[in-house]
Amino acid sequence: MIKQTLRSSWKFHNPNNGKWYDATVPGFIQTDLLSNNIIPDPFFRLNESDVQWIMEKQWTYRTFFSPKKEILDKNNKTLYFYGIDTFSDIFLNDELIISTNNMFHPWEKDVSKYLYSGLNELKVIFHSPIKKVLPLMDKIKHSLPAENDQAGKTSPFSRKAPYHYGWDWGPCLVTSGIWKNVQLHGWDSFNLNKCSILNVGVEKKCATLFLEVEVFSIKKESATISIEESKSNTSLQIPIEIEKGKNVIDKKLLITDPDLWWPSGHGEQPLYTFIITITSATDSFTFLKRIGIRDIFIKREKDKKGRSFEVHVNGKPIFSKGANWIPADSFTTRIKKEHYKQLLSAAKDANMNMLRVWGGGIYEPEIFYDLCDEMGIMVWQDFMFACSMYPADQKFLESVKEEAQYQVDRLKSHPSIVLWCGNNEIASGWLSWGWKEELPASVWNDYKKIFHEVLPNVCKELDPGRLYWPSSPGHSISLPESDQRYGSGDNHYWGVWHGGDGFEAFEEYVGRFMSEYGMQSFPEMKTVRKFAEDRDLDIESKVMVSRQKASLGTGNLIKYIKDYFNPIPGFKATVILSQVMQALAIKTAVEAHRRNMPFCMGTLYWQFNDCWPAISWSSVDYYGNWKALHYYAKRFFNPLIVTIHENKRDLEIHVINDQYKEYNSKLIFQVSKFDGSVIEEKSFNLKIEKASSNCVQTLDKQNLIQGHDKSELFMQAEIRLKKELVCSDIYFFVKPKYLKLNKPKYKYKVERKEGTISIEIEAFSFIYQLHILCENADGIFSDNFFDLLAGEKTIIYFYPKGEDIKTDFNFRLNTVQDITIKQVE
Ligand code: BMA
C-alpha cells in the first residue's frame, strides 16, 4: 500500500471579495484568515466579537494535486479525510464524493474512478455550522438546552466540539476546517481498516494480549501476517487466508514475565512496540502498535456508605490525583507535540497520575495518549457530550455510533485509558437543573438511547474490559432517577464557587471519587499583557469582562479574595491574590479528599489548562505558565503529605501516604511567633504504614495558643526521612487577612552556573507567600508561592521555556505582605 498526504497547495476562497488565499491543512478557517491578515487575532482585546461573522459564511477550500505514479498504478485508490469540521460537501474533479456531518470520525471514499494522472482538483465546501442545523431545530417544538452555547443553542445538533460554541472559561469561536490530514492510499488487493491490541489477562508470569486486525480485500488470496516485538522476543509468521470483503484477523499473544505498566508514582511505564506486517503475492503493508501491559479495573463495591469507585492497577488500589483537561487551544491544530509535552510534563511534575479528558472538548490526538502512556498519566475519557440534551433521530444515532466505534477502536490499545464515560453533567442537568420540568419526557428517552444504549453497546462490543460510566457525576450504570450521591460513584462539588460556600464546605462534601470542584483565578500579569493594553488593566474594563465567561463573574472571585485577604487597591494585587486564594481553596479540598482515603479514592480538580488566555479555574495558563495552584498541587499531590486540620476545638495532624511503601519517619511540629520565637516544639518517630491516612496527633487549640495573640502565631509540621525534609504544612490560627505580619525582610541573589539559573533567598522575617515572577520570559520555577521562616534560606531554580538561556532574565520577587493591608479580626 502506498500513501500520499495531500497537505500542500491548499487555498481558500473568501466570499467577501471573491479572492483565493493560501490555506494550511490541517487547519481552520479562523487560523487561515488570521495568517492572511484578514481578521485580527481573536484572542486580543475584544476581537472575539469581531470575528463572529465567520461562522455564518460558506467557505471553500481547494487544492490541485498530482497523484504519485505508484498510487495510480494500483488497482484501488481510497481518499481519507481524517477529520472534517463539520458540515461539508467534498468534490473530486467536480464529482460530489462525500458529505460530512461529524468532526469526530474520518471520512473515506473509493476514488479509483474519479482520479486522473496529472492535476486533480479537490474541493471542500464548508456550510455554516449554524445555518446548517436551523432546519433541524425548526423540526422540533422545544429547544434543547445547551448551557454554554453562545451561538443560538445550535450545538446539540452538530457532532462538533461543544466548547467551540463558548463555555464558562472560553470564547465562542465556531470553527470550520480540514482539521486532520487528508491522505490518498493506493492498494492492490487489500487495505487496512483498523488494528488494536488489548490486554485480556495479566498474571505475574504471563500476559495474554489480543491482537485484532481488520482488512478489506477485493479478492480471495493467501497471505502471511508477521508480528515482531523485540522487548518480548516475539517473532511470529502466521499464514492466513484472506477472503473477498471484510476480514478480521485475530490472534492471542502470550508475553511471559511481562514488564508491567504503572501509573506515575507507582512504578515504571515499560512499553512494547509491535511491528505488524501483512504480505500477500500482490500487496503488503506494515504498521506499528505500541502498548503497555497492565490490568485495570474500577472496583465498585457495595458497602455501608454506598458503592466505592476505586481504580485498581495490577491488583493495587491507586489513589487517583489530577485535574480536568480541556482542549489546549480554541484552534486545536495549533497545538504541537512540544506543547502537549510541556503541558503533560506539568501534570506529571505536579505529582498527578490522572487527567480527565472532559466531554465538552475533543477526543485528543494520538500524541496526547502516547505521552500519557509514556508518563504514566491515567486518562478518564469522556465521550464528547456536555451540559446539553441531544437529539436522537436515526441519522444522529448512526453518526454517534460511527464516532464512538472509531474512537474506541483508535484509543483502546492505550494503557493509560482507564474508563469510558458517556458525558459531562447531562444526567445532572436533566435531574437537577430544571430541564425535566420544562421539557417533554421524550428528551430523556433520547438521552437513554445515546448514553444507555448506543455508547455502552459500542464499548461492550469493542472494549469489554473497560468500565463504561454513563455520566459524570453519576452513582450507577443504569439510567438514574436521582442526581449524584455522596457515597456512590463520582461527584462534582460546586458549592464552593457556584454556591458561594466557604472553603470549609469542601470538607463536608467528600465522595468516593471527586471528579470536579474548582476555584477561579486570574492568569499572571505577563499573560494578561498578551491580550490587554494598559488601559484595560481594571477588573471592570470591557476587555477584562470579556475574559470572564462565568455567569457569576469576577464579582464572585473578588468576594472569595476578600474573604481571605485585604488587598491594596490596584489590578496587580488582585491578580496575585486571586491565585493565592485559588490555591488555598483547592488545597483545602484535596487535603480533605486525601484524608478520607480509602473512602475517597480519587480527586481531579477543575480545571488543568486553558484554551485561551483568560480568567478561569485553570492551574496552568494558556501559555503554559504555572499559577500558584500548580505549585501547590505539586506539594498537595506529593505521595506523602502531612496536613494540619482544624476540627472544632482541636488541631489534628494527619499523615497520608498513597504509596505501597512503609516509612520510618520523624514528625516534627512547632508553634511559633512570626518574630521567630518558638512557643512549643515536639518531635517523635513515626512509622508510616503503606497506603494509609491517619490522624497521628490531636492537640487542643486553646492550649497551643496559651494566651498569645493568635494573629501572630503559626504552627508548622514536617516529616523527615532520615534527615531529609519530604513534606510540611503551615497552619494559621486566623484567616490570612487577620495575620499580624511585619514588613518582609529578605535578600536574594540570582546566579547562573553551568546552564542553571538559580535564585537564592534568605529570609530575616516571616515571609508569607513569596512569589517570583520572570518578567521577560516564560518558564517554570522549582518552587513558588511558599512561606519562609525568619532565618530560613532556600534556592529556587528557573527553567525557561525553550532552550534560550542567553536572555537576561528579569526576576521580580513579591510577597503577600506587599500587596495586602492588615485587618483586625
Ligand atoms: C463543570 C464543568 C464545566 C464548567 C465548570 C465550571 O461542571 O463540567 O461545564 O466549565 O463546571 O463551571
Side-chain angles (χ1 to χ4, degrees), residues 5 94 118 227 337 354 387 425 487 660:
T5 302
D94 283 334
I227 305 162
K337 184 176 174 179
M354 184 183 277
C387 303
E425 293 185 349
Y660 285 84

mmCIF file of all heavy atoms in Angstrom, residues 5 94 118 227 337 354 387 425 487 660:
data_model
loop_
_atom_site.group_PDB
_atom_site.id
_atom_site.type_symbol
_atom_site.label_atom_id
_atom_site.label_comp_id
_atom_site.label_asym_id
_atom_site.label_seq_id
_atom_site.Cartn_x
_atom_site.Cartn_y
_atom_site.Cartn_z
ATOM 1 N N THR A 5 0.137 12.111 1.386
ATOM 2 C CA THR A 5 -0.604 13.080 2.201
ATOM 3 C C THR A 5 -0.808 14.350 1.373
ATOM 4 O O THR A 5 0.148 14.886 0.801
ATOM 5 C CB THR A 5 0.170 13.392 3.497
ATOM 6 O OG1 THR A 5 0.348 12.155 4.188
ATOM 7 C CG2 THR A 5 -0.578 14.346 4.406
ATOM 8 N N ASP A 94 -14.903 17.786 -9.556
ATOM 9 C CA ASP A 94 -16.312 18.187 -9.706
ATOM 10 C C ASP A 94 -17.347 17.101 -9.418
ATOM 11 O O ASP A 94 -18.532 17.336 -9.568
ATOM 12 C CB ASP A 94 -16.578 18.797 -11.093
ATOM 13 C CG ASP A 94 -16.051 20.221 -11.150
ATOM 14 O OD1 ASP A 94 -15.980 20.850 -10.065
ATOM 15 O OD2 ASP A 94 -15.686 20.678 -12.240
ATOM 16 N N GLY A 118 -1.860 13.351 -13.563
ATOM 17 C CA GLY A 118 -1.780 14.809 -13.741
ATOM 18 C C GLY A 118 -2.589 15.518 -12.674
ATOM 19 O O GLY A 118 -2.878 14.941 -11.628
ATOM 20 N N ILE A 227 4.342 -10.762 13.098
ATOM 21 C CA ILE A 227 4.208 -9.954 14.312
ATOM 22 C C ILE A 227 5.567 -9.967 15.009
ATOM 23 O O ILE A 227 6.052 -11.020 15.416
ATOM 24 C CB ILE A 227 3.130 -10.560 15.240
ATOM 25 C CG1 ILE A 227 1.803 -10.714 14.473
ATOM 26 C CG2 ILE A 227 2.938 -9.723 16.495
ATOM 27 C CD1 ILE A 227 0.824 -11.675 15.125
ATOM 28 N N LYS A 337 3.345 18.987 19.168
ATOM 29 C CA LYS A 337 3.859 17.954 20.071
ATOM 30 C C LYS A 337 4.536 18.554 21.313
ATOM 31 O O LYS A 337 4.300 18.132 22.435
ATOM 32 C CB LYS A 337 4.856 17.099 19.285
ATOM 33 C CG LYS A 337 5.393 15.936 20.058
ATOM 34 C CD LYS A 337 6.284 15.089 19.199
ATOM 35 C CE LYS A 337 6.891 14.025 20.109
ATOM 36 N NZ LYS A 337 7.768 13.118 19.400
ATOM 37 N N MET A 354 -3.525 11.242 36.979
ATOM 38 C CA MET A 354 -4.721 11.097 36.136
ATOM 39 C C MET A 354 -5.190 12.443 35.595
ATOM 40 O O MET A 354 -5.118 13.458 36.289
ATOM 41 C CB MET A 354 -5.870 10.470 36.928
ATOM 42 C CG MET A 354 -7.097 10.204 36.059
ATOM 43 S SD MET A 354 -8.527 9.557 36.931
ATOM 44 C CE MET A 354 -8.173 7.838 37.002
ATOM 45 N N CYS A 387 -23.256 19.036 29.107
ATOM 46 C CA CYS A 387 -24.174 20.088 29.562
ATOM 47 C C CYS A 387 -25.271 20.447 28.547
ATOM 48 O O CYS A 387 -25.678 21.605 28.486
ATOM 49 C CB CYS A 387 -23.394 21.356 29.941
ATOM 50 S SG CYS A 387 -22.153 21.100 31.199
ATOM 51 N N GLU A 425 -22.119 15.806 32.969
ATOM 52 C CA GLU A 425 -23.192 16.525 33.671
ATOM 53 C C GLU A 425 -24.539 16.568 32.962
ATOM 54 O O GLU A 425 -25.336 17.453 33.261
ATOM 55 C CB GLU A 425 -22.747 17.960 33.992
ATOM 56 C CG GLU A 425 -21.638 17.995 34.993
ATOM 57 C CD GLU A 425 -21.249 19.408 35.434
ATOM 58 O OE1 GLU A 425 -21.708 20.364 34.807
ATOM 59 O OE2 GLU A 425 -20.513 19.519 36.413
ATOM 60 N N GLY A 487 -21.247 9.090 48.301
ATOM 61 C CA GLY A 487 -21.223 7.740 48.880
ATOM 62 C C GLY A 487 -21.167 6.687 47.797
ATOM 63 O O GLY A 487 -20.705 5.583 48.034
ATOM 64 N N TYR A 660 2.725 2.181 48.136
ATOM 65 C CA TYR A 660 2.746 0.858 48.784
ATOM 66 C C TYR A 660 4.121 0.628 49.396
ATOM 67 O O TYR A 660 4.785 -0.349 49.135
ATOM 68 C CB TYR A 660 2.337 -0.212 47.770
ATOM 69 C CG TYR A 660 0.848 -0.132 47.557
ATOM 70 C CD1 TYR A 660 0.305 0.780 46.653
ATOM 71 C CD2 TYR A 660 -0.027 -0.877 48.334
ATOM 72 C CE1 TYR A 660 -1.066 0.925 46.511
ATOM 73 C CE2 TYR A 660 -1.405 -0.739 48.200
ATOM 74 C CZ TYR A 660 -1.916 0.160 47.293
ATOM 75 O OH TYR A 660 -3.272 0.297 47.180
#
